[in-house]
Amino acid sequence: MQYSKKTPLILVLFSSIVFSQAYKTSSTALPGKEFPKIDAAKKAEFRVYFPDAKSVILDGGDGMKSVKSSASKEKDGFWNISTTPMEIGFHYYWFNVDGQRTNDPDTQLYFGYGQPTSGIEVSSGEDFFLEKNVKHGTIVNDSLQSEIIQTQRNFKVYLPPGYGSEKLPVLYLYHGTGEDITGWEKQGYILNILDNLFAEKKARKMIVVMDYGVALNPEQEKMPDNYPRTVLSSKNLDKIVTRELIPYIEKKYKTSGKKAIAGLSRGSYQAMLIGASHPETFSAIGAFSPVIYEGTEAEPFKELPIGNLLKSKKKPYFFIGIGEKEDAMFFKFNQILTDFLNKNNYPYFQYKSPETRHEWLTWRRSLYQFAQQIFK
């Protein structure tokens, strides 16, 4: 709600004092900024300067659906926004300022929902993705010119500490819809996750290629942005990975020839499509918050050749991760997958992330689990 502008000044000053107590600044706030803040009960406070606004409403992505908020404007043009308890994890958010979507000027921006977007981290108390005093790997930018879609493709490559001393396996990793190759680096904290795992000797050292999850030629880009286009893009991606990206990576970097593939949300579909199409190439497939496109009741895997796994001699390791609070749609996809695998006695590992939705804490946890179980 929006409080009255007639609130006495003394009340506004008192509320400002109370407002700032017992809160810790979010890890996503810009250096030197105090807000957004979160208290022990996971309630958040924002203080933003929109002097000409008549209405400021907090809005956001999946993790913000259950959050209620109230807003009050001070005479100096600052708005105070307070929320009910939020859920743990990383949440995209923005403000509707007189009906116009506007980012928080006090926080870092992350590429989500197809554009730079504010983010807030509600701590779960875990430290597996935080920077520690361990040896650090590096993330480098790389690219190749794709003849398949006639465009340049940019991607990121994680190289572990001590890279160069031995040949290493490679994990090909995909982001979700509305995100890009910065997702796993920035929102996903992949550098810290893997550095910490390797330091604790919980996982085999690996190279990780964070590829872009859209693969369309200039003409295909003009198609409506719908599920058929997503399937087409994913099939193009399959060709790019096997014919262009893998040869490029194996020529340029010190690789052992062992490969795995994984992704989140839309990226889970792409990982399953590519992995199941080439089960002799990939030793492991990871589906984080699984999605299945263009399936029907009669043919749930109409556009996903998951049946190839049953005929494979190598039987890739299959990992499925999902947040306990994800929407019913994702649990339906999860059930379709597990029913098929159970029916055909295909081994898989199911991980459920406690208390999380369709967001980055679910996917960080999934990667943390998955990375420990591959390339053994």
Side-chain angles (χ1 to χ4, degrees), residues 213-240:
V214 179
L216 299 165
N217 66 36
E219 282 302 310
Q220 292 166 345
E221 286 278 6
K222 300 174 184 178
M223 296 171 59
D225 188 5
N226 53 20
Y227 290 160
R229 191 176 89 152
T230 297
V231 171
L232 174 61
S233 175
S234 300
K235 289 180 178 179
N236 287 343
L237 194 62
D238 174 30
K239 296 174 185 175
I240 291 169

Side-chain angles (χ1 to χ4, degrees), residues 125-318:
E126 297 162 279
D127 68 353
F128 73 92
F129 59 87
L130 302 182
E131 184 176 353
K132 298 180 182 180
N133 185 23
V134 299
K135 292 182 179 179
H136 299 299
T138 58
I139 293 178
V140 298
N141 295 315
D142 208 335
S143 64
L144 62 79
Q145 183 66 30
S146 173
E147 296 301 320
I148 292 169
I149 59 169
Q150 302 142 41
T151 59
Q152 178 174 296
R153 290 189 56 81
N154 300 321
F155 49 90
K156 291 179 176 285
V157 181
Y158 166 85
L159 301 173
Y163 168 75
S165 60
E166 61 178 316
K167 293 183 177 181
L168 298 172
V170 182
L171 169 62
Y172 293 84
L173 188 60
Y174 288 89
H175 57 83
T177 302
E179 297 169 337
D180 65 7
I181 60 172
T182 63
W184 275 108
E185 178 181 19
K186 197 168 182 182
Q187 296 97 299
Y189 291 97
I190 189 172
L191 186 73
N192 295 340
I193 291 172
L194 295 181
D195 286 352
N196 295 340
L197 279 174
F198 301 151
E200 296 166 8
K201 300 189 184 303
K202 290 183 177 179
R204 170 82 183 275
K205 280 190 178 181
M206 66 188 79
I207 295 167
V208 182
V209 178
M210 291 162 274
D211 189 25
Y212 185 45
V214 179
L216 299 165
N217 66 36
E219 282 302 310
Q220 292 166 345
E221 286 278 6
K222 300 174 184 178
M223 296 171 59
D225 188 5
N226 53 20
Y227 290 160
R229 191 176 89 152
T230 297
V231 171
L232 174 61
S233 175
S234 300
K235 289 180 178 179
N236 287 343
L237 194 62
D238 174 30
K239 296 174 185 175
I240 291 169
V241 170
T242 55
R243 300 179 193 176
E244 296 178 330
L245 183 58
I246 289 176
Y248 178 90
I249 294 297
E250 295 191 342
K251 181 178 180 180
K252 182 171 182 177
Y253 298 92
K254 294 195 69 173
T255 67
S256 67
K258 293 182 179 179
K259 293 173 280 292
I261 190 163
L264 67 91
S265 196
R266 181 189 65 193
S268 76
Y269 172 80
Q270 293 166 334
M272 289 188 289
L273 173 68
I274 299 167
S277 296
H278 309 278
E280 311 305 324
T281 300
F282 299 96
S283 62
I285 301 168
F288 311 157
S289 299
V291 173
I292 303 170
Y293 292 109
E294 295 294 89
T296 65
E297 289 294 328
E299 293 183 88
F301 301 114
K302 184 178 179 181
E303 295 290 352
L304 183 63
I306 202 78
N308 285 352
L309 297 177
L310 308 179
K311 299 175 284 186
S312 168
K313 294 179 181 179
K314 292 189 176 181
K315 294 288 187 295
Y317 170 77
F318 202 96

Side-chain angles (χ1 to χ4, degrees), residues 58-157:
L58 178 67
D59 201 352
D62 287 1
M64 303 292 288
K65 288 180 179 178
S66 63
V67 177
K68 296 180 181 179
S69 64
S70 59
S72 62
K73 185 178 184 180
E74 297 182 359
K75 288 188 176 181
D76 59 2
F78 279 93
W79 287 78
N80 295 331
I81 296 97
S82 59
T83 75
T84 56
M86 298 179 64
E87 297 182 72
I88 59 171
F90 175 90
H91 309 301
Y92 294 112
Y93 76 94
W94 51 88
F95 299 108
N96 286 323
V97 180
D98 292 338
Q100 182 176 352
R101 175 173 167 169
T102 306
N103 283 322
D104 187 341
D106 291 340
T107 194
Q108 298 180 57
L109 297 182
Y110 305 82
F111 198 83
Y113 289 87
Q115 60 186 292
T117 304
S118 300
I120 187 168
E121 184 82 33
V122 182
S123 176
S124 63
E126 297 162 279
D127 68 353
F128 73 92
F129 59 87
L130 302 182
E131 184 176 353
K132 298 180 182 180
N133 185 23
V134 299
K135 292 182 179 179
H136 299 299
T138 58
I139 293 178
V140 298
N141 295 315
D142 208 335
S143 64
L144 62 79
Q145 183 66 30
S146 173
E147 296 301 320
I148 292 169
I149 59 169
Q150 302 142 41
T151 59
Q152 178 174 296
R153 290 189 56 81
N154 300 321
F155 49 90
K156 291 179 176 285
V157 181

Side-chain angles (χ1 to χ4, degrees), residues 350-364:
Q350 172 81 77
Y351 169 71
K352 289 187 178 179
S353 171
E355 300 181 38
T356 57
R357 289 186 177 271
H358 197 73
E359 49 83 17
W360 276 98
L361 183 54
T362 295
W363 306 323
R364 293 176 203 152

Side-chain angles (χ1 to χ4, degrees), residues 2 50 52-57 71 73 79 96-100:
Q2 181 176 322
F50 297 125
D52 299 323
K54 294 181 174 59
S55 172
V56 176
I57 300 170
K73 185 178 184 180
W79 287 78
N96 286 323
V97 180
D98 292 338
Q100 182 176 352

